[in-house]
Amino acid sequence: MRPRPQHWQFASAEVEHEGRRFPLRIWGWSAESAADAAMRAQHRLAAAVDQLTRGRAGFDY
């Protein structure tokens, strides 16, 4: 069984795509540390920005 996440951090960005602006706020979590949670949030944010700028709608974040 995995340890329950105790640390939560978010990363945010505003992305422009096809003339529209999208504010993003993505959470990351970790059982290890706040720094690990922040790193996970940044990785998830980068993936979301990539999906959005490619024009893929309906991604799950």
Side-chain angles (χ1 to χ4, degrees):
M1 180 186 234
R2 286 192 268 175
R4 184 175 300 194
Q6 297 177 358
H7 306 279
W8 296 83
Q9 297 287 321
F10 72 89
S12 61
E14 190 167 292
V15 180
E16 186 170 336
H17 179 67
E18 296 180 353
R20 295 176 60 194
R21 296 184 80 78
F22 298 91
L24 299 177
R25 186 171 179 167
I26 306 291
W27 287 92
W29 54 90
S30 173
E32 303 296 319
S33 68
D36 188 46
M39 178 192 67
R40 291 171 187 265
Q42 286 293 333
H43 286 177
R44 295 183 74 229
L45 177 64
V49 167
D50 182 55
Q51 293 285 335
L52 188 58
T53 57
R54 288 184 194 205
R56 292 190 57 193
F59 54 89
D60 185 26
Y61 283 93

